[in-house]
Amino acid sequence: MLIGAFIVTNYRIQSREHVSGMEHRQQRTQHVLESLITSRTEFLISSIEFIREQKRFQDSMATLDREKLFEHSSLVLERLNRHQQVTHFYYYDVDGELFLRVYQPENTRESTPRYTREHARVTNTIISGMELGDSGTFTLRVVAPWQVDGKIIGYIELGQEIDPILHELGAITQVDFVLVLYKQFLQQDKWEQGMELLGRSAKWNLHEQKVVIDKTLSLDSPTLKMLLNAPSLHQQHGFTFNNATFHYRARSFPLWDVTGKEVGEFILLKNTTEEDTAFRNSLFFVIGFSLLLSSALFVFAYRVLGRIDEQLVKAEIRLQHEFSKQKDMNQQLQQEVEERQRAESGIRILNETLETKVQERTQALDLLNQDLERSRNELDTAYRNLQAQQATILQQDKMACIGQLAAGVAHDINSPNGFVSGNLEILREHIQKMAHYSAAQSEIIRHYAPAERQHSLQQQHEQMKITEIYQDAAELITESLEGTAQINRTVVNLKGFSRSDDGAARYTDIHNCLESTLAIVANELRYKAEIIREYGELPLLYCYPQQLNQVFMNLLINASQAIQEWGTIWIRTWADDSKLYIEIEDTGSGMIPEQLTHIFEPFYTTKPVGVGTGLGLSIVQEIITRHHGTIQVKSKAGSGTTFTLSFARHNEDNLL
């Protein structure tokens, strides 16, 4: 009974661990997927912003010059597709009608009305989200209105299939999954054509209501059909099945589009082979040990009770012998009555001794049972301690892997980015030399070549658009260098801010945050300004310390860049009964009132072209707002700038 209860209890514990593990894995996968979609959406928005701000794109769209617009956009689409797998690129006129399909310019057929495009027209804002296409493809789309001088000239749409996002999700989380769509939102012929273009097998009749569009695990048709038909797939404990020599547990979660409509399912697969094997081995070990211990106790008790029984049998034989002897003697020796009474008294004493021995043996067995119970309790305690230590080691391994991943990503990005930046600089010099050489050739031809030859060469020069090629090459190299500079800054931020942040709010010493940030930006400030610290007494602040480090870094770097040659930066801190304050003042160039009204807007910058992205102060304001704090700025042209941050002393309820 004890072994059976142990098996049932451990099985239930194992089942609860499977359920919690699947829920944790689903939450982590969903969080990573949302982060990837957000990151890709921000990239698409940034790309649209770049296109909208280019004068040549604006002129082509304003004059409805489709050929010129395609000429400029095809190069952008080629780079976006090569580096970020962007596959969809549309232009719409002011009425929302299709003007140009960049990836298929010959296809002028009007596209199916979509929520993102229609909602962008109605709200006149940027709309993004995942949408289900006619061919069964699940696409991330971003549609933005295109305004020039306050007037809408059209709409721009960029899109990316979900496949590269899912592949990146699998590479990050190391999970297997099956992506399923409902047939009610699909057309069989279009879906089969779309799957054929993607190089996948289209099995429309695998399930009555569902089709599989992507999977990371090789599953045959019977296994897939069994998986899709399993009722337990939507329950907490999930559905278990075997594939080759591995055991898997699967659980389904709904898949939503941008309108909030459930269009399919995301089936998460977990390989439980090692866990099930370890669970069975532990059960076999405990059962074997319990049987061995029970057998030993049984043999011990059997031998002890056997010896007592033998003594009782011998005593009974002696009593019978004595009784027979006394009976014979009664018939022969009546005179020896007193001697017989003494013999009977001895027998009574012997019985009392036997009862005492039986009680002593019983007490010994009770003590043995108590020792056995203590041993079992100690074994349970040791098992629970072992489970706790195993969970702690697993958590430490996870955190170490995350740190190694962040460091490896920063190193792997930084090295090729340096090569690309250096090669672009060399390519710029080569283009300039080629331009000078071409100009010299033209000058020589103009002086020495016959007029007919000059005219022919001039026509070839105009047909090949040599001048435009040199101009476009210079612009492309400049844009690429800006991109590599942005990547380099991103790598620096990654190395600086991913070292100690655990993503949790805690009580933090603001002075320690300031000093750690000053150490990070020491090279930026060393040759630009003198740092003067005027620290007051501050209480510990409940906050996200690494986010505040980013705030301080952005403000200090801005102060350094505002100082032309050499200046001073003051850092002051103080507190009153309700708030604590941090003030950063510089002796830089300052700002005019018109600039102060825009400094917290994204992509707005007062720095020269190529210096900064215009996102620093908008990120600062977002972090301060997230901490329910305030930021004030005072500045005057030629007299420097002062930023004052304030936070509530008791900020715990706001961040919980």
Side-chain angles (χ1 to χ4, degrees):
M1 290 177 64
L2 288 176
I3 293 174
F6 173 80
I7 294 174
V8 173
T9 302
N10 276 269
Y11 178 77
R12 291 182 177 178
I13 293 174
Q14 183 77 359
S15 299
R16 285 198 297 269
E17 289 180 352
H18 279 309
V19 172
S20 63
M22 290 295 290
E23 291 179 351
H24 175 72
R25 178 167 290 197
Q26 183 267 336
Q27 293 173 0
R28 184 183 65 178
T29 303
Q30 185 175 6
H31 175 72
V32 173
L33 180 59
E34 291 175 356
S35 299
L36 290 174
I37 292 175
T38 301
S39 175
R40 296 298 178 94
T41 302
E42 292 174 353
F43 172 78
L44 293 177
I45 292 174
S46 299
S47 301
I48 292 177
E49 291 288 345
F50 168 77
I51 295 171
R52 292 194 303 187
E53 294 174 359
Q54 297 300 308
K55 188 68 168 58
R56 61 180 186 271
F57 289 92
Q58 295 176 0
D59 295 340
S60 300
M61 188 64 187
T63 58
L64 299 179
D65 189 344
R66 184 178 282 104
E67 294 182 358
K68 197 69 175 177
L69 188 61
F70 172 72
E71 179 182 349
H72 297 317
S73 302
S74 58
L75 296 176
V76 176
L77 177 60
E78 180 182 355
R79 292 198 300 270
L80 291 177
N81 180 264
R82 183 170 62 251
H83 297 292
Q84 293 294 333
Q85 295 82 44
V86 176
T87 56
H88 298 266
F89 193 175
Y90 300 86
Y91 287 101
Y92 303 99
D93 60 17
V94 294
D95 297 324
E97 301 296 331
L98 177 65
F99 179 71
L100 175 61
R101 184 181 278 106
V102 179
Y103 65 94
Q104 288 182 347
E106 69 282 355
N107 186 0
T108 59
R109 180 177 54 86
E110 182 64 30
S111 59
T112 303
R114 300 189 185 93
Y115 172 84
T116 51
R117 183 179 64 184
E118 298 302 324
H119 204 53
R121 288 186 57 205
V122 174
T123 62
N124 198 25
T125 58
I126 298 176
I127 303 299
S128 64
M130 303 298 300
E131 283 194 286
L132 185 62
D134 296 337
S135 60
T137 58
F138 211 44
T139 307
L140 173 62
R141 299 182 183 273
V142 178
V143 182
W146 193 354
Q147 292 185 353
V148 177
D149 297 330
K151 179 181 178 181
I152 293 181
I153 64 173
Y155 300 87
I156 302 176
E157 176 181 336
L158 288 179
Q160 181 181 32
E161 300 293 343
I162 197 175
D163 294 6
I165 300 177
L166 293 177
H167 293 164
E168 187 173 355
L169 173 67
I172 293 175
T173 60
Q174 297 297 316
V175 299
D176 292 311
F177 58 83
V178 177
L179 199 62
V180 177
L181 294 178
Y182 296 143
K183 287 184 178 180
Q184 61 182 351
F185 303 110
L186 305 174
Q187 297 181 14
Q188 181 177 357
D189 55 346
K190 292 185 178 180
W191 178 78
E192 290 177 347
Q193 292 175 3
M195 295 298 288
E196 182 178 357
L197 290 176
L198 294 176
R200 301 176 185 164
S201 59
K203 299 180 180 179
W204 179 264
N205 297 321
L206 190 63
H207 189 269
E208 182 179 355
Q209 300 175 350
K210 308 172 186 177
V211 292
V212 177
I213 66 169
D214 197 4
K215 61 181 185 299
T216 60
L217 194 65
S218 178
L219 300 175
D220 53 21
S221 297
T223 304
L224 273 177
K225 188 173 183 180
M226 177 181 62
L227 179 64
L228 297 180
N229 288 301
S232 60
L233 190 64
H234 305 280
Q235 300 175 0
Q236 278 191 343
H237 59 273
F239 172 69
T240 59
F241 67 94
N242 298 330
N243 184 36
T245 58
F246 299 101
H247 304 282
Y248 288 91
R249 183 177 295 270
R251 186 174 173 185
S252 174
F253 303 96
L255 189 65
W256 312 90
D257 67 353
V258 67
T259 63
K261 178 174 60 180
E262 183 178 352
V263 298
E265 300 176 4
F266 187 91
I267 302 176
L268 192 63
L269 305 177
K270 180 182 180 183
N271 189 340
T272 60
T273 305
E274 295 183 359
E275 297 179 9
D276 295 341
T277 302
F279 178 69
R280 287 195 300 270
N281 292 339
S282 64
L283 286 182
F284 291 154
F285 174 77
V286 173
I287 292 173
F289 179 78
S290 301
L291 291 176
L292 181 62
L293 183 61
S294 301
S295 300
L297 291 175
F298 175 78
V299 171
F300 175 76
Y302 180 80
R303 294 186 62 183
V304 171
L305 294 177
R307 286 197 297 268
I308 295 174
D309 184 66
E310 289 177 357
Q311 292 176 0
L312 290 175
V313 171
K314 291 179 180 179
E316 185 179 2
I317 293 173
R318 286 197 301 270
L319 287 173
Q320 290 178 356
H321 178 72
E322 292 292 336
F323 183 76
S324 298
K325 186 177 179 181
Q326 291 295 331
K327 186 177 180 180
D328 293 339
M329 291 179 66
N330 284 335
Q331 295 176 358
Q332 298 176 3
L333 301 170
Q334 292 293 333
Q335 66 273 14
E336 297 180 359
V337 174
E338 293 181 358
E339 185 177 353
R340 185 180 62 185
Q341 291 177 349
R342 287 196 296 270
E344 290 177 353
S345 177
I347 292 173
R348 286 195 299 271
I349 293 172
L350 181 59
N351 288 332
E352 292 175 357
T353 302
L354 288 175
E355 291 178 357
T356 301
K357 289 182 178 181
V358 170
Q359 291 178 355
E360 291 176 353
R361 295 299 183 185
T362 304
Q363 292 176 356
L365 287 175
D366 291 339
L367 292 176
L368 289 175
N369 289 331
Q370 293 176 3
D371 292 339
L372 178 61
E373 184 66 22
R374 282 196 301 271
S375 298
R376 190 183 67 82
N377 292 334
E378 291 175 355
L379 180 61
D380 291 341
T381 302
Y383 180 71
R384 288 193 295 270
N385 292 336
L386 180 60
Q387 286 182 322
Q389 292 175 0
Q390 183 180 9
T392 302
I393 292 173
L394 288 174
Q395 184 63 24
Q396 292 174 351
D397 288 342
K398 290 179 182 178
M399 297 306 295
C401 289
I402 292 173
Q404 292 176 0
L405 177 61
V409 168
H411 180 270
D412 290 344
I413 292 176
N414 196 35
S415 296
N417 183 64
F419 297 151
V420 172
S421 178
N423 291 340
L424 288 173
E425 291 289 352
I426 295 173
L427 181 59
R428 171 186 282 176
E429 295 177 1
H430 290 349
I431 292 296
Q432 292 175 353
K433 292 178 181 179
M434 290 175 64
H436 293 321
Y437 181 74
S438 178
Q441 278 186 333
S442 299
E443 185 66 20
I444 293 172
I445 291 171
R446 188 172 63 83
H447 285 87
Y448 299 104
E452 296 80 1
R453 186 59 176 169
Q454 291 184 18
H455 180 70
S456 175
L457 291 175
Q458 181 64 26
Q459 286 183 340
Q460 292 183 7
H461 189 278
E462 293 176 356
Q463 290 176 356
M464 295 181 181
K465 300 181 180 180
I466 301 300
T467 303
E468 289 81 354
I469 289 175
Y470 283 129
Q471 293 176 354
D472 289 345
E475 293 178 0
L476 293 175
I477 292 173
T478 301
E479 294 170 1
S480 299
L481 286 173
E482 292 175 357
T484 56
Q486 179 66 30
I487 293 174
N488 187 58
R489 288 191 293 274
T490 303
V491 170
V492 171
N493 289 335
L494 178 61
K495 289 182 177 178
F497 287 104
S498 64
R499 294 179 303 164
S500 59
D501 192 15
D502 55 2
R506 59 176 181 269
Y507 288 96
T508 305
D509 188 346
I510 297 299
H511 291 158
N512 289 342
C513 290
L514 286 168
E515 290 302 321
S516 64
T517 304
L518 285 170
I520 293 173
V521 300
N523 290 331
E524 184 76 14
L525 305 179
R526 182 177 304 163
Y527 305 105
K528 297 298 293 290
E530 177 185 5
I531 306 300
I532 299 178
R533 300 170 175 82
E534 297 179 0
Y535 292 165
E537 293 185 0
L538 294 180
L540 296 180
L541 177 65
Y542 192 80
C543 64
Y544 295 94
Q546 201 67 12
Q547 295 182 7
L548 292 187
N549 284 348
Q550 185 174 358
V551 170
F552 299 147
M553 174 175 285
N554 289 348
L555 293 179
L556 289 171
I557 290 177
N558 286 348
S560 171
Q561 294 175 347
I563 297 173
Q564 299 298 327
E565 296 180 357
W566 179 261
T568 304
I569 298 176
W570 288 273
I571 304 176
R572 305 182 182 95
T573 62
W574 71 93
D576 55 21
D577 294 337
S578 60
K579 294 183 178 181
L580 55 88
Y581 302 86
I582 303 99
E583 185 178 88
I584 298 177
E585 180 183 359
D586 63 74
T587 59
S589 58
M591 293 176 284
I592 61 177
E594 290 78 9
Q595 293 174 332
L596 286 176
T597 59
H598 299 286
I599 60 175
F600 294 111
E601 296 177 1
F603 302 105
Y604 179 82
T605 178
T606 60
K607 303 171 186 176
V609 176
V611 180
T613 61
L615 296 176
L617 288 179
S618 65
I619 294 174
V620 167
Q621 186 183 46
E622 179 184 357
I623 294 174
I624 297 301
T625 303
R626 190 180 305 160
H627 285 75
H628 297 272
T630 61
I631 179 170
Q632 297 178 351
V633 56
K634 297 179 181 178
S635 182
K636 185 177 180 182
S639 300
T641 304
T642 302
F643 287 91
T644 304
L645 315 179
S646 64
F647 302 92
R649 293 171 66 105
H650 303 289
N651 200 30
E652 296 84 353
D653 295 338
N654 294 329
L655 297 182
L656 289 178

